[in-house]
């Protein structure tokens, strides 16, 4: 993921400027940072908490495609491509963000042209990661999607005992496949199952599956 800051090549003076123009935004679990279709207003950096990128497919089903946690930034694809957001950013736990407006982002980068090399490198790394995900084997893809679904669904609706069919619908998979994936997550000691109940044992471990591209 993008733990490499796009500001890493800036001078100290420019970094101080980034700090001075950053706005602190506080969010509760379930809040939306932005909706799909909206125009980018700037760049977000997670100071603490967890944000998920939620994409609605052609069939109307929701798919959680990315996580962003402390020290990771997001909203950059829409910002630099000058396109609307293709997915919604939803807060999965109490979160504090640092926000830099679009005008400030480009003003700072224009004053430090070499910083654009870092932007290109970060975007290229993300493209490589997406390409690798497309060629990863199905078992690993569904394991990653199941892990993300568990984090997302348990955080947003902690009191609900999600059925394997509901999880399968969310992951665009089948109940039998989800049952196998849950068994593997339990074998790895990331979750614990008791009938329909699913307990998250290692939340960071579940998130790491997505970050590793598994």
């Amino acid at each position: 993921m993008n733990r490499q800051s796009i500001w890493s090549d800036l001078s100290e003076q420019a970094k101080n400027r980034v700090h001075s123009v950053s706005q602190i935004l506080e969010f509760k679990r379930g809040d939306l940072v932005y909706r799909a279709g909206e125009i980018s207003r700037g760049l977000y950096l997670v100071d603490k908490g967890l944000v998920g990128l939620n994409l609605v497919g052609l069939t109307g089903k929701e798919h959680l495609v990315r996580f962003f946690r402390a020290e990771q930034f997001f909203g950059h694809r829409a910002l630099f491509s000058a396109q609307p957001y293709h997915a919604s950013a939803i807060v999965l736990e109490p979160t504090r963000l640092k926000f830099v407006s679009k005008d400030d982002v480009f003003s700072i980068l224009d004053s430090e042209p070499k910083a654009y090399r870092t932007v290109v490198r970060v975007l290229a790394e993300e493209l490589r990661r997406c390409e690798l995900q497309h060629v990863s084997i199905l078992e690993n893809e569904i394991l990653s999607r199941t892990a993300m679904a568990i984090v997302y669904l348990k955080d947003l609706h902690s009191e609900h005992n999600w059925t394997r069919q509901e999880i399968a619908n969310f992951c665009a998979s089948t109940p039998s496949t989800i049952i196998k994936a849950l068994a593997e997550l339990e074998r790895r000691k990331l979750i614990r199952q008791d009938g329909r109940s699913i307990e998250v044992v290692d939340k960071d471990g579940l998130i790491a599956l997505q970050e590793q591209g598994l």
Side-chain angles (χ1 to χ4, degrees):
M1 292 287 282
N2 50 9
R3 291 188 181 276
Q4 166 69 56
S5 172
I6 66 169
W7 310 125
S8 61
D9 286 339
L10 294 181
S11 65
E12 286 304 314
Q13 181 180 1
K15 288 179 181 178
N16 290 335
R17 185 180 170 195
V18 171
H19 179 73
S20 67
V21 300
S22 296
Q23 303 174 42
I24 302 299
L25 306 176
E26 300 278 352
F27 294 90
K28 303 185 301 294
R29 188 177 70 180
D31 287 346
L32 283 174
V33 180
Y34 54 73
R35 295 180 184 274
E38 292 180 350
I39 301 300
S40 172
R41 298 188 301 110
L43 190 69
Y44 299 89
L45 172 72
V46 181
D47 190 39
K48 72 171 186 177
L50 183 67
V51 176
L53 199 62
N54 196 29
L55 179 66
V56 178
L58 296 176
T59 62
K61 292 181 179 179
E62 295 183 352
H63 302 277
L64 193 68
V65 295
R66 297 283 293 280
F67 283 126
F68 303 103
R69 50 181 173 172
E71 300 182 20
Q72 296 178 332
F73 61 86
F74 64 97
H76 49 291
R77 191 206 64 83
L79 175 65
F80 293 120
S81 66
Q83 295 177 338
Y85 294 116
H86 71 290
S88 299
I90 188 166
V91 175
L92 302 180
E93 63 186 41
T95 293
R96 182 171 63 236
L97 302 177
K98 293 180 180 178
F99 172 76
V100 183
S101 72
K102 176 168 60 177
D103 289 343
D104 284 328
V105 169
F106 286 112
S107 175
I108 294 168
L109 289 177
D110 286 343
S111 70
E112 304 264 345
K114 67 178 182 179
Y116 276 109
R117 291 180 299 184
T118 304
V119 174
V120 172
R121 183 169 68 248
V122 170
L123 294 177
E125 288 171 354
E126 291 193 353
L127 177 59
R128 175 182 178 274
R129 177 180 173 278
C130 289
E131 290 172 342
L132 291 175
Q133 280 186 317
H134 280 301
V135 299
S136 63
I137 61 174
L138 180 59
E139 288 80 3
N140 283 342
E141 287 180 351
I142 193 58
L143 194 64
S144 172
R145 292 205 304 270
T146 304
M148 287 192 290
I150 293 301
V151 173
Y152 177 73
L153 297 174
K154 293 293 287 184
D155 272 349
L156 286 186
H157 308 281
S158 59
E159 302 303 318
H160 182 68
N161 283 330
W162 294 93
T163 68
R164 278 50 180 169
Q165 181 65 64
E166 289 170 330
I167 298 172
N169 290 343
F170 187 86
C171 294
S173 185
T174 63
S176 60
T177 301
I178 293 300
I179 289 170
K180 293 177 183 177
L182 290 174
E184 176 61 20
L185 294 176
E186 187 170 35
R187 187 189 69 79
R188 298 189 184 195
K189 303 186 185 307
L190 300 177
I191 66 171
R192 184 180 298 113
Q193 299 184 84
D194 183 9
R196 278 181 53 183
S197 176
I198 299 172
E199 177 187 353
V200 174
V201 175
D202 184 355
K203 186 175 181 179
D204 285 342
L206 291 172
I207 295 172
L209 287 179
Q210 178 250 333
E211 294 185 343
Q212 295 165 6
L214 293 179

